[in-house]
Amino acid sequence: GLITPKTFELNQALLYGQLSRKDEVHKKKNENYVLRATLRCFGCNKPLYASAPRTGNGGHSPRYHCRTGCKSPTIKAAMVHEDFVEMLKDIRPSEKVLKLYKRILVQEANRALGALNGRISSLRRELDDIAHRRVNGIEMFADGQLTIEEKGSLIDALDKKKLEATLKLNQLEQQQNIRESDIESAINFMGHIDKQWQFSNFDNRQRFQNMIFPHGITYDLENRKFGTSEMSILYRSVAMK
């Protein structure tokens, strides 16, 4: 009765964070605090801290809070996660923009595919030439035109070129396999970013957060609002025709 519930929760969060380093709330992969590495304090721009202070009935309440002296309240982690999902809904590109973006991607993919096919054909011709020269080298050795050392040196050099060309060819063929269906999947992902984040596992949500907000995003603990932040160029561009 001597302090407010808000002050009690803040004190518990600070004490719990300092005294319970081995507790599960400090594990790197904790589903309760999936936004811990992304959230920054709206007041001081420092990373928000996560802990589970004790409640009045002896349980634990997973929360986010600032530890730099800001007079910000603590807030339940579940509430922050709900706000994050709502914010993701707000940054979803419109259907009109997504259709335009898909058309541009398909056009660019087809243009790039033409140049890619030329490089693939060139590498295949190079591999055929290497195979032909290798056979000739072995025949010259059999006819006594090359010593065993010369034959070995020639074959080693050709095998090295073959390996390099094969690796390049494999990489290009993987790029060649990107189809319109893959673009469609990417567009669907961007159009449902809130659900993609909400129903992914911990690791994928972390990757997703880092992709959209590479430098984190500020969160106002007092008013439960996200501040402006530098977003991925992908999401900055889709809103502009």
Side-chain angles (χ1 to χ4, degrees), residues 130-156:
I130 290 172
H132 181 69
R133 291 170 62 189
R134 200 176 190 279
V135 171
N136 286 343
I138 294 174
E139 289 179 348
M140 290 174 68
F141 169 72
D143 292 340
Q145 299 179 47
L146 293 177
T147 65
I148 189 170
E149 291 79 10
E150 290 172 333
K151 188 265 293 185
S153 178
L154 175 63
I155 295 301
D156 288 344

Side-chain angles (χ1 to χ4, degrees), residues 1-228:
L2 298 178
I3 58 176
T4 65
K6 182 187 294 186
T7 302
F8 173 79
E9 291 170 357
L10 179 59
N11 290 342
Q12 287 294 313
L14 292 171
L15 289 171
Y16 197 74
Q18 292 172 348
L19 300 178
S20 304
R21 295 290 181 182
K22 295 182 180 180
D23 197 272
E24 65 175 0
V25 297
H26 295 287
K27 291 180 179 178
K28 290 184 178 180
K29 293 186 179 181
N30 192 316
E31 294 289 343
N32 290 324
Y33 311 111
V34 67
L35 290 172
R36 180 169 55 178
T38 300
L39 295 179
R40 307 185 76 83
C41 177
F42 184 79
C44 63
N45 201 39
K46 298 293 184 182
L48 288 181
Y49 193 74
S51 61
R54 294 185 184 280
T55 61
N57 60 10
H60 294 287
S61 176
R63 290 175 173 270
Y64 291 105
H65 59 90
C66 181
R67 298 188 65 190
T68 63
C70 290
K71 296 182 179 179
S72 301
T74 66
I75 186 169
K76 290 183 179 180
M79 295 171 66
V80 180
H81 297 165
E82 290 174 4
D83 293 342
F84 189 75
V85 171
E86 292 302 313
M87 184 270 295
L88 291 178
K89 292 179 181 179
D90 290 338
I91 68 172
R92 286 183 304 187
S94 68
E95 288 296 324
K96 185 176 181 180
V97 169
L98 284 176
K99 287 180 180 179
L100 175 63
Y101 194 54
K102 177 184 176 181
R103 188 161 70 246
I104 293 172
L105 284 177
V106 171
Q107 290 173 354
E108 287 298 307
N110 289 335
R111 182 187 62 79
L113 189 60
L116 193 64
N117 288 338
R119 294 172 64 189
I120 288 175
S121 296
S122 177
L123 282 170
R124 286 174 177 165
R125 287 194 298 271
E126 182 180 343
L127 285 171
D128 289 340
D129 180 63
I130 290 172
H132 181 69
R133 291 170 62 189
R134 200 176 190 279
V135 171
N136 286 343
I138 294 174
E139 289 179 348
M140 290 174 68
F141 169 72
D143 292 340
Q145 299 179 47
L146 293 177
T147 65
I148 189 170
E149 291 79 10
E150 290 172 333
K151 188 265 293 185
S153 178
L154 175 63
I155 295 301
D156 288 344
L158 291 174
D159 285 347
K160 183 179 180 180
K161 288 183 177 181
K162 177 183 177 181
L163 177 60
E164 292 174 350
T166 301
L167 291 174
K168 290 180 182 178
L169 180 61
N170 289 339
Q171 292 175 351
L172 294 179
E173 286 178 338
Q174 288 177 5
Q175 295 177 35
Q176 190 183 42
N177 289 332
I178 296 177
R179 301 175 301 277
E180 187 171 340
S181 59
D182 299 312
I183 295 176
E184 183 71 32
S185 297
I187 295 297
N188 287 335
F189 182 90
M190 293 178 66
H192 301 87
I193 54 176
D194 53 314
K195 293 179 181 178
Q196 295 288 352
W197 181 85
Q198 199 170 9
F199 298 110
S200 292
N201 61 34
F202 182 91
D203 290 334
N204 284 336
R205 283 193 283 177
Q206 290 275 295
R207 295 188 188 98
F208 185 69
Q209 293 158 204
N210 292 334
M211 179 187 73
I212 302 183
F213 305 108
H215 303 296
I217 184 171
T218 58
Y219 181 75
D220 187 341
L221 293 162
E222 186 77 38
N223 299 304
R224 293 183 61 182
K225 293 183 178 180
F226 289 94
T228 55

